[in-house]
C-alpha cells in the first residue's frame, strides 16, 4: 500500500474510532450500557487494526501525523455527532437580578415551563427570583438568548440531567 493511502486510511480510521469512543462515554453516562458495549467493541477493533498498521510502518513521521490528526479530528467530529444526535435534557436555574415578574411571564409565553421561588440575594434587602426549568437540550440556545434579552445580569447555571419523570416539555 502506498504511503499516501496508508496515511489517509489511518486518518479516517482514527476519526471513526475516536468518534465511537465519544459516543460510548456519552451512552455510559446515560446508562445505555448495551450501546456503550457495542460502540466500545467497534472502537477498539478499529483502533487495534490501525495501531498495528501504524506501528509496522516504522519511524515515518507522515504516519505519526496522520494518526495524531485523525485522533484530533475524531474528537471534534465525535462532539458534533453527540450535539446533533444524542437527545437529552438540561436543568437550568436562573437567578434574576431583580424581582421582575415579566421575566417569568415571557419565559412561559415562549413555551418553557418554569417554577419560581422568591429569594434574597447577597444584599438581604433585594428580592430576586430563582427560576427552575427542565428543557430539551436542543432548546437551550433559545432559552439562553431569551433570558439575556429579559435580564442581562441574570445568573444562569446549567446541568445535564440524567433522569426526568413527569413535567411539561413543549
Amino acid at each position: 500500500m502506498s504511503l499516501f493511502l496508508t496515511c489517509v486510511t489511518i486518518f479516517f480510521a482514527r476519526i471513526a474510532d475516536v468518534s465511537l469512543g465519544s459516543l460510548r462515554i456519552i451512552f455510559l453516562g446515560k446508562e445505555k450500557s448495551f450501546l456503550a458495549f457495542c460502540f466500545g467493541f467497534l472502537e477498539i477493533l478499529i483502533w487495534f487494526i490501525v495501531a498495528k498498521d501504524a506501528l509496522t510502518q516504522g519511524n515515518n513521521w507522515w504516519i505519526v501525523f496522520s494518526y495524531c490528526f485523525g485522533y484530533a479530528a475524531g474528537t471534534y467530529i465525535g462532539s458534533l455527532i453527540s450535539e446533533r444526535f444524542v437527545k437529552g435534557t438540561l436543568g437550568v436555574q436562573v437567578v434574576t437580578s431583580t424581582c421582575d415578574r415579566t421575566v417569568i411571564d415571557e419565559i412561559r409565553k415562549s413555551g418553557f415551563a418554569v417554577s419560581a421561588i422568591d429569594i434574597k440575594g447577597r444584599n438581604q434587602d433585594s428580592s430576586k427570583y430563582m427560576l427552575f426549568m427542565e428543557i430539551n437540550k436542543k432548546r437551550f440556545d433559545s432559552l439562553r438568548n431569551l433570558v439575556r434579552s429579559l435580564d442581562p445580569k441574570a445568573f444562569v447555571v446549567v446541568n445535564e440531567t440524567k433522569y426526568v419523570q413527569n413535567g411539561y416539555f413543549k
Side-chain angles (χ1 to χ4, degrees):
M1 186 181 314
S2 74
L3 178 61
F4 176 75
L5 188 56
T6 301
C7 289
V8 169
T9 302
I10 288 171
F11 176 76
F12 284 109
R14 286 300 285 159
I15 288 174
D17 89 85
V18 174
S19 297
L20 287 170
S22 298
L23 292 172
R24 174 183 51 84
I25 290 168
I26 290 165
F27 285 123
L28 274 175
K30 295 189 175 292
E31 296 183 351
K32 297 185 187 254
S33 304
F34 185 72
L35 280 173
F37 166 84
C38 293
F39 285 140
F41 179 83
L42 291 173
E43 171 193 2
I44 295 305
L45 178 66
I46 294 168
W47 176 87
F48 183 80
I49 293 167
V50 170
K52 178 183 67 72
D53 283 349
L55 292 172
T56 58
Q57 295 296 320
N59 282 343
N60 190 316
W61 283 103
W62 289 110
I63 300 289
V64 172
F65 287 131
S66 299
Y67 195 87
C68 296
F69 283 127
Y71 181 88
T75 301
Y76 179 71
I77 290 171
S79 70
L80 292 178
I81 290 169
S82 69
E83 285 175 22
R84 174 100 175 146
F85 296 108
V86 177
K87 296 176 185 172
T89 57
L90 299 174
V92 181
Q93 296 86 43
V94 176
V95 177
T96 61
S97 60
T98 61
C99 203
D100 184 0
R101 180 81 188 170
T102 59
V103 172
I104 297 169
D105 295 337
E106 289 300 316
I107 290 173
R108 286 183 176 149
K109 263 193 236 177
S110 295
F112 296 99
V114 59
S115 298
I117 301 173
D118 290 321
I119 62 169
K120 298 284 184 194
R122 179 179 55 158
N123 179 357
Q124 292 296 316
D125 299 341
S126 65
S127 289
K128 301 177 180 194
Y129 287 120
M130 179 174 279
L131 311 177
F132 295 94
M133 292 164 274
E134 197 65 36
I135 64 169
N136 290 322
K137 192 184 271 187
K138 293 180 189 240
R139 297 197 66 208
F140 176 68
D141 288 337
S142 172
L143 177 63
R144 180 182 58 207
N145 294 336
L146 178 62
V147 169
R148 273 191 195 148
S149 70
L150 295 170
D151 187 356
K153 294 182 179 179
F155 176 68
V156 180
V157 177
V158 180
N159 296 296
E160 194 163 1
T161 305
K162 195 172 202 174
Y163 175 76
V164 176
Q165 179 177 328
N166 299 327
Y168 169 80
F169 287 91
K170 185 176 179 182

